[in-house]
Amino acid sequence: MNLRCMQLIMGMLFCLFWFAPRAGYAESRKKVKLIVFAVDGLSPDLLEALMRRNAVPHMRSLSEDGVRGILKSFWPMRTMQVWTSMATGKLPGQHGIWDHVAHSDYNPPEFRTNFRKVYTPDDRKSKALWNLLSEKNLKTLVIGWPTTWPAERIENAVIVAPKVLYGDGRNVTIKGSFWRRTENIVHPEIFQKEVQKWIVEPGDIKNPELYSWAGIPEDPADLYQTPKIKDYVYALRWNLARAGSVEKLTLNLSLRACPDVILSYFQCSDSLLHRFWIFQKTEEEIRARLAQFHIPTDKAGLLKRHFGKVVENCYRDVDRRIGRILDRLRSDGTLVMVVSDHGFGDGPKLHPFRAEPYGGIHHTNGVMIAAGPGICSDAKLDNASVLDVTPTILYALQLPVAQDMRGRVLWELFSETVRKNRPIDTISSYESKAQIICPYAEGYPPKPEDFIW
């Protein structure tokens, strides 16, 4: 055997040893300091009801071991701007991400483009949490966080970034997802081939799994006569695929990359509630919604029978995935947080969105759960904001908080011992120039006077 063959064999053996899962590996690896489950549109009222029935046992257990409270969003509760604010501690007027795209009416006129442009990390003017942690030599794994495509090239981070792909039925989301053939979704690129194997696509979801969520009959012709329902069934398949991707990517890359901090984003609790919210209600309420949009009401009972459990099943599914991730990756020293960018619920008597005739709407009050070392289980979360997440994480990791962040450390989360021994350390800014000025701090466009959600 020549030297070249020997080198190739040794290289293959090294890769197999280093990257393949092996018994006991999770126990012997470096312990994760912090796991953040970012769950889009998590409703405090719905979560509370499901916890009482023990339908979401893992989030219930975290709440009982730690703290659960309201996490307030800000107007106008656009996904990309709020999740970017959560990752920076700053408002859109500072970080520069106003919406999914730069030409929409949610962009102030002086920041608006005349052409369609999807926001990317290059448009973000503030450092995100993964940038800050990298500078402090803490390794971060970021899975699916909005507005992270193309994946940033950061020394101490592994990022799998979702991208919006239009056409071929894939426009069920404007928030981005994972598709095997998409370029620039992974950093570092050494993980590209493995990530492609871990991505779940809608075609991978078998009918029995889909039908267990929605009770769809083998012949759904009657259901598909109702406007949008066929597309929404595809959205169900797509959401299951995306959630499966997040779980598999989080577990597998955590074992490879050995991060200090994990940030994993789940989307279905927003996407599916925009499509199926009303079907969990009474038949009378379903008929009223159908009538509002001039949709025949004779199938109200059929729609409830087949889709009435979608909302609950979405919450159950996310909870199970959170549980499996914690079983594999959590240790006694791991701080766990569950955060949402806003809540979800009923709207005005006349539903405001014609494009989403069966959906709910965003509510200001989202959810925060925190459990782990240093957390005071008797704490009361008062006036917590999505802007407070990054400052609180920095404090928990014993890093300074920037004075130009609009959020604060949620001091009340921590035990008296922690607060006594660890005062809040501050610096003026993590940026080259402090971001003191913040145009449109109250949000854009101006909030309606009758807004109460």
Side-chain angles (χ1 to χ4, degrees):
M1 183 181 295
N2 61 35
L3 179 61
R4 177 59 177 164
C5 288
M6 181 64 74
Q7 289 173 332
L8 287 172
I9 292 172
M10 293 300 293
M12 292 172 63
L13 290 173
F14 174 81
C15 289
L16 286 171
F17 173 79
W18 184 251
F19 289 113
R22 49 197 184 272
Y25 181 61
E27 287 74 25
S28 64
R29 65 190 290 281
K30 181 177 66 176
K31 292 181 179 180
V32 179
K33 298 177 185 293
L34 170 68
I35 303 175
V36 177
F37 296 106
V39 186
D40 203 305
L42 199 61
S43 163
D45 294 338
L46 181 56
L47 186 65
E48 176 70 28
L50 293 174
M51 283 183 176
R52 287 197 298 267
R53 292 163 40 205
N54 204 31
V56 285
H58 303 291
M59 285 190 276
R60 176 178 174 175
S61 177
L62 288 171
S63 299
E64 291 173 347
D65 292 342
V67 179
R68 182 177 83 252
I70 298 298
L71 192 66
K72 290 186 178 294
S73 191
F74 58 82
W75 176 262
M77 295 181 285
R78 300 294 289 173
T79 294
M80 302 313 198
Q81 62 170 243
V82 180
W83 284 113
T84 303
S85 289
M86 198 180 296
T88 59
K90 297 180 179 180
L91 287 167
Q94 296 167 290
H95 61 61
I97 306 298
W98 295 95
D99 198 11
H100 305 80
V101 290
H103 77 313
S104 76
D105 291 340
Y106 290 97
N107 294 267
E110 60 266 45
F111 301 105
R112 192 179 306 162
T113 59
N114 294 323
F115 55 91
R116 178 187 178 83
K117 179 190 181 305
V118 175
Y119 276 117
T120 72
D122 289 340
D123 300 303
R124 197 183 66 237
K125 300 174 183 177
S126 305
K127 293 177 182 177
L129 186 59
W130 42 93
N131 302 109
L132 307 183
L133 299 183
S134 177
E135 291 175 0
K136 300 298 183 180
N137 295 315
L138 290 172
K139 295 182 178 180
T140 308
L141 173 64
V142 184
I143 304 294
W145 202 278
T147 320
T148 54
W149 185 90
E152 293 177 77
R153 272 47 181 167
I154 303 172
E155 182 178 358
N156 291 312
V158 175
I159 298 175
V160 185
K163 183 184 179 183
V164 176
L165 293 178
Y166 293 93
D168 191 27
R170 291 177 177 176
N171 57 343
V172 294
T173 177
I174 55 176
K175 301 176 184 179
S177 191
F178 308 108
W179 311 96
R180 296 188 185 109
R181 294 183 296 276
T182 310
E183 296 181 349
N184 301 318
I185 65 169
V186 185
H187 168 76
E189 293 181 359
I190 189 175
F191 294 119
Q192 176 71 34
K193 289 185 178 180
E194 288 193 296
V195 163
Q196 288 178 338
K197 293 187 296 185
W198 298 325
I199 286 174
V200 183
E201 292 191 340
D204 301 324
I205 303 299
K206 306 304 180 186
N207 283 348
E209 184 179 4
L210 179 70
Y211 296 167
S212 69
W213 261 52
I216 301 169
E218 289 293 338
D219 181 9
D222 283 349
L223 285 174
Y224 289 172
Q225 292 175 13
T226 306
K228 292 183 177 286
I229 290 299
K230 186 175 182 179
D231 289 339
Y232 285 2
V233 169
Y234 178 79
L236 273 172
R237 193 181 298 273
W238 173 85
N239 274 274
L240 275 167
R242 194 190 193 284
S245 295
V246 172
E247 180 184 355
K248 293 177 71 173
L249 291 166
T250 299
L251 287 171
N252 286 289
L253 283 171
S254 292
L255 296 178
R256 270 60 166 182
C258 299
D260 298 291
V261 175
I262 298 170
L263 307 171
S264 289
Y265 169 83
F266 288 94
Q267 185 187 108
C268 80
S269 44
D270 180 86
S271 180
L272 290 182
L273 273 61
H274 276 295
R275 292 167 170 83
F276 293 97
W277 176 264
I278 195 63
F279 299 131
Q280 66 180 322
K281 303 291 186 176
T282 66
E283 286 190 34
E284 181 181 0
E285 290 172 293
I286 296 171
R287 280 193 293 271
R289 179 71 69 84
L290 296 176
Q292 178 191 339
F293 291 104
H294 306 291
I295 298 171
T297 62
D298 59 309
K299 291 188 173 59
L302 185 69
L303 292 166
K304 179 173 178 59
R305 186 158 64 250
H306 289 295
F307 299 121
K309 291 290 186 180
V310 168
V311 170
E312 178 176 326
N313 285 340
C314 172
Y315 275 59
R316 286 177 178 271
D317 183 74
V318 172
D319 186 74
R320 285 192 292 265
R321 297 182 193 280
I322 287 174
R324 289 193 289 264
I325 290 170
L326 291 178
D327 284 345
R328 293 279 300 278
L329 302 178
R330 187 186 189 188
S331 68
D332 290 341
T334 304
L335 174 60
V336 180
M337 297 173 67
V338 179
V339 294
S340 61
D341 56 334
H342 53 72
F344 220 96
D346 294 317
K349 187 174 182 180
L350 290 178
H351 184 68
F353 302 126
R354 180 168 293 277
E356 299 169 353
Y358 318 123
I361 64 169
H362 293 179
H363 282 202
T364 301
N365 290 346
V367 174
M368 182 175 196
I369 303 171
I375 298 299
C376 176
S377 59
D378 295 328
K380 303 294 182 184
L381 271 181
D382 297 322
N383 201 33
S385 160
V386 293
L387 295 165
D388 303 332
V389 172
T390 282
T392 301
I393 288 174
L394 291 173
Y395 174 78
L397 296 173
Q398 302 185 45
L399 298 174
V401 177
Q403 293 172 351
D404 61 351
M405 291 178 176
R406 290 297 173 116
R408 66 180 180 91
V409 174
L410 293 173
W411 186 246
E412 60 270 29
L413 277 181
F414 298 93
S415 68
E416 184 178 350
T417 301
V418 170
R419 287 181 286 175
K420 180 179 179 180
N421 295 327
R422 194 193 308 164
I424 299 173
D425 186 19
T426 63
I427 58 174
S428 61
S429 180
Y430 280 99
E431 316 295 337
S432 57
K433 182 180 179 181
Q435 296 177 314
I436 305 300
I437 298 174
C438 180
Y440 301 99
E442 299 301 318
Y444 188 89
K447 183 165 62 176
E449 292 183 3
D450 61 350
F451 177 80
I452 56 173
W453 309 330

